[in-house]
Amino acid sequence: MNLPKITTGLAVILLAASCSGEGTRPAGFAPGEFREWAEIPPMGWNSWDCYGPTVTEDEVRANADYMAANLKQYGWEYIVVDIRWFVENDKAGGYNQTDPVYVVDEWGRYQPAVNRFPSAAGGKGFTDLAEYVHGLGLKFGIHIMRGVPKAAVERQLPVKGAGGVTADQIYSTEMQCEWLRDNYTVVAGVPGAQEYYDSLFDMYASWGVDFIKIDDISRPYHKDEIEMVRLAIDRCGRPIVLSLSPGQTPVGEADHVADHANMWRMVDDVWDLWRDVVHLLDVAQEWYPYIRPGAWPDCDMIPLGRISIRGERGEDRMTRLTRDEQYSLMTLFTIFRSPLMFGGDLPSNDEFTLSLLTNREVLRMHREGTEVRQLFQKEGTVAITSRNGKSGEIYLALFNTAEEEDAAVTVDLADLGIDGSASAVELWSGEEKGPVTGRFSVSLAPHASRLYKFAVD
C-alpha cells in the first residue's frame, strides 16, 4: 500500500498504474483527420460553472442522466468533468493551493481522487464513469492542465516509455501558469517530453475519453505543447476532440490552431454578465473568416440555468442574465456556430432554460449554417447573417447592445443576398413576418435581440 508522502509542501498520493488499454501503440490517425471528429460544433455539459474544481461522481452522473433524458435527442452529447478532478481537498469558490492533496500514478500522471470519484478505486481512472456515460448514448470528456505535475518533478517519477527519463528532466519553470501552480512547462524536443504527452493520451484513450479540454495553453499561445498534444492524440488510437483554453487566442495563430485543435477559446471565462456578451460580439469580429467544419472558434461555456453551486464566481444562483440577455447570448452562440457547452446544473433547469436548449430550428441553424459573417456593428447595434448549407434559407441575428435606449435595426435584403420578396419567421418566438421586400427593420429594447430565418418567395 502506498501511503501519502509530503514533498515540499505538496501532499501526493501515489497509485500504481492500472490502465487495461495501454500497451502497444496503434498506428494512429492521418494528419488532419481529427477535423472529422467534430464536423459540427460540439454540444455538451461542463461542470465548471456550477461546481468549480469540486464536482463529484454522483453530480456528473446526475447531469448525464438529465442530458440523456432531455437533451440527447437535440444533439447534446458531451459530459465534461472540469478542472482538478485529481485533488482530494479542493475548495469551493477557488483553488486550494496551500496544501493540495494530489493523486498521481507511478508515472507521474494525475488520477481521479477516489473520495470524489469512487469508481476510480483500484487504479481504474475514469473507466467506469466513461462507461456509464457511454451507456447512456453520450460521450465523456475531461479537463487537464498543460504541462507535467510539480509533484512528479519533485519526486523524480519516471516517464512511461522514455527509457529511464524522469519528470525532472523534461520540465521548465518558465511560462508556468500564473493562476494555478500545479504543473510545470514540458520542454519540447528533450528526451521524454513527447513520451510524457503520449503516455497521458494513451491512458485517457484506455479510460474511454472522447473529449479533452486543455487549459493554460491558448493564452499565452504555447505552440510547442499544442503540437505535442496533437501528435499524442493522433498516436493514441482513439478519436479525442481537442479544446484549447482559455482565450484570447491570438488571431495571428488562426491557421496553426485550426491545424491542431477542434475548438479554441476567443476570450477568457464568460459569466452571467451582459458585459461579457458585448465583449464576445467585439472579439468575434476577427474570427468569422475562420469558422470551418472541425475547427471552431469558441465563445466559452454557457452560464445559464443554476450556476455557482460551488463555483468560482458568486453565490449559488440562477443566472443573473435577464431573459432578453439570455436570448441574446444563445442567439450569438448559435449563429456564430460556437461549440455549445452548457455550464449550469442540468437537473436544476427550469422550463425557460430548457427551452433555450431545445429549439429545433435554432439548433438546425447552428448545425447547418454556413458563410457566417457580420454585416455591421455600429452605434450599439449588430447584425450577423449565415446561410443554411442544405436548404439555402438565410438567417439574420440582430442585437441592441445599448444600455438605455431602444434601437431600430435595419438591414437591406440585398445585403443578405435576397433579390425580391421573402417571408421571415423569428426562430425563438415563431412570429411570422412577410412578405418582406427591400429593407427589413425591427425595434429592439436594450440588450435584446431577434433571430430570423428568411425563405425567398
Side-chain angles (χ1 to χ4, degrees):
M1 177 178 179
N2 293 302
L3 297 177
K5 181 175 178 62
I6 306 297
T7 60
T8 59
L10 302 175
V12 182
I13 294 180
L14 278 176
L15 294 178
S18 178
C19 297
S20 59
E22 293 184 85
T24 304
R25 294 189 63 78
F29 298 101
E33 187 175 346
F34 71 92
R35 293 195 188 91
E36 298 176 9
W37 310 338
E39 289 187 320
I40 60 175
M43 298 168 58
W45 172 81
N46 180 291
S47 64
W48 170 249
D49 283 356
C50 45
Y51 294 109
T54 67
V55 71
T56 67
E57 182 165 351
D58 284 346
E59 290 161 340
V60 174
R61 288 176 182 247
N63 277 273
D65 290 343
Y66 181 98
M67 181 176 288
N70 299 282
L71 298 175
K72 182 174 70 170
Q73 63 180 306
Y74 297 92
W76 300 84
E77 61 178 345
Y78 288 97
I79 295 291
V80 182
V81 178
D82 208 88
I83 199 165
R84 271 189 148 199
W85 38 266
F86 46 82
V87 175
E88 287 194 344
N89 61 337
D90 225 327
K91 60 182 183 179
Y95 304 107
N96 177 5
Q97 301 201 67
T98 303
D99 59 347
V101 179
Y102 300 115
V103 186
V104 299
D105 71 5
E106 61 187 284
W107 305 106
R109 303 173 299 187
Y110 289 125
Q111 303 294 305
V114 174
N115 64 325
R116 293 168 53 201
F117 299 94
S119 70
K124 291 186 292 185
F126 277 125
T127 301
D128 285 0
L129 183 54
E131 286 182 356
Y132 181 82
V133 171
H134 293 155
L136 296 172
L138 304 173
K139 295 181 179 180
F140 180 71
I142 60 174
H143 171 289
I144 66 173
M145 294 295 295
R146 171 186 66 87
V148 59
K150 290 169 61 177
V153 170
E154 292 172 7
R155 290 186 62 86
Q156 300 180 350
L157 295 176
V159 174
K160 188 172 185 180
V165 174
T166 53
D168 57 301
Q169 297 173 297
I170 67 170
Y171 88 104
S172 171
T173 58
E174 294 184 10
M175 302 297 289
Q176 186 183 17
C177 180
E178 296 179 354
W179 47 269
L180 187 61
R181 314 296 281 185
D182 293 342
N183 287 8
Y184 290 127
T185 296
V186 172
V187 180
V190 303
Q194 183 64 52
E195 287 85 351
Y196 181 74
Y197 275 115
D198 288 350
S199 76
L200 286 183
F201 284 90
D202 281 350
M203 181 177 68
Y204 301 148
S206 77
W207 288 351
V209 172
D210 306 296
F211 181 101
I212 292 283
K213 172 185 173 183
I214 184 166
D215 217 329
D216 185 46
I217 200 165
S218 202
R219 181 193 57 81
Y221 194 74
H222 293 272
K223 182 177 289 188
D224 288 344
E225 285 188 88
I226 290 170
E227 292 178 358
M228 285 190 282
V229 168
R230 174 76 269 146
L231 181 57
I233 294 175
D234 289 346
R235 288 175 168 178
C236 80
R238 183 177 182 85
I240 298 177
V241 170
L242 178 61
S243 167
L244 305 186
S245 182
Q248 186 167 336
T249 303
V251 176
E253 298 291 355
D255 290 335
H256 183 270
V257 74
D259 283 342
H260 292 83
N262 297 105
M263 49 190 277
W264 56 90
R265 287 268 292 279
M266 300 188 299
V267 296
D268 284 344
D269 288 2
V270 169
W271 282 97
D272 51 336
L273 300 167
W274 176 245
R275 70 187 183 206
D276 288 359
V277 179
V278 175
H279 181 56
L280 270 173
L281 282 164
D282 288 340
V283 172
Q285 294 180 88
E286 296 185 297
W287 285 105
Y288 290 101
Y290 302 102
I291 300 170
R292 68 188 74 171
W296 307 103
D298 178 15
C299 288
D300 192 25
M301 286 168 286
I302 299 170
L304 302 184
R306 185 184 178 195
I307 60 176
S308 207
I309 296 172
R310 297 191 303 276
E312 181 195 31
R313 308 278 177 95
E315 299 299 320
D316 184 351
R317 63 187 182 275
M318 294 299 285
T319 185
R320 294 173 294 198
L321 295 173
T322 67
R323 287 201 171 193
D324 274 349
E325 291 168 347
Q326 292 180 63
Y327 279 126
S328 293
L329 182 147
M330 288 300 296
T331 295
L332 171 60
F333 277 55
T334 52
I335 196 167
F336 187 79
R337 305 197 75 198
S338 171
L340 303 180
M341 290 290 165
F342 188 77
D345 179 59
L346 289 172
S348 301
N349 275 354
D350 57 18
E351 287 301 315
F352 176 70
T353 304
L354 181 60
S355 75
L356 295 173
L357 308 180
T358 56
N359 184 304
R360 291 192 182 277
E361 278 298 308
V362 172
L363 294 176
R364 176 170 167 260
M365 174 194 69
H366 177 253
R367 184 174 61 252
E368 299 177 3
T370 60
E371 302 172 24
V372 185
R373 59 193 174 96
Q374 179 180 279
L375 295 177
F376 58 78
Q377 186 166 163
K378 61 185 180 182
E379 299 175 351
T381 63
V382 183
I384 303 168
T385 187
S386 68
R387 183 180 64 83
N388 188 295
K390 295 183 178 180
S391 69
E393 295 161 317
I394 304 296
Y395 300 108
L396 175 65
L398 304 174
F399 303 84
N400 177 13
T401 65
E403 292 299 322
E404 297 180 357
E405 297 183 358
D406 290 3
V409 189
T410 302
V411 172
D412 289 331
L413 293 187
D415 292 337
L416 302 178
I418 298 174
D419 181 16
S421 66
S423 57
V425 59
E426 208 283 323
L427 294 186
W428 292 112
S429 67
E431 178 186 2
E432 296 181 359
K433 298 175 79 70
V436 182
T437 58
R439 310 185 85 192
F440 183 78
S441 183
V442 296
S443 179
L444 297 178
H447 302 189
S449 63
R450 296 289 185 274
L451 177 59
Y452 293 97
K453 178 182 71 175
F454 289 85
V456 177
D457 293 335

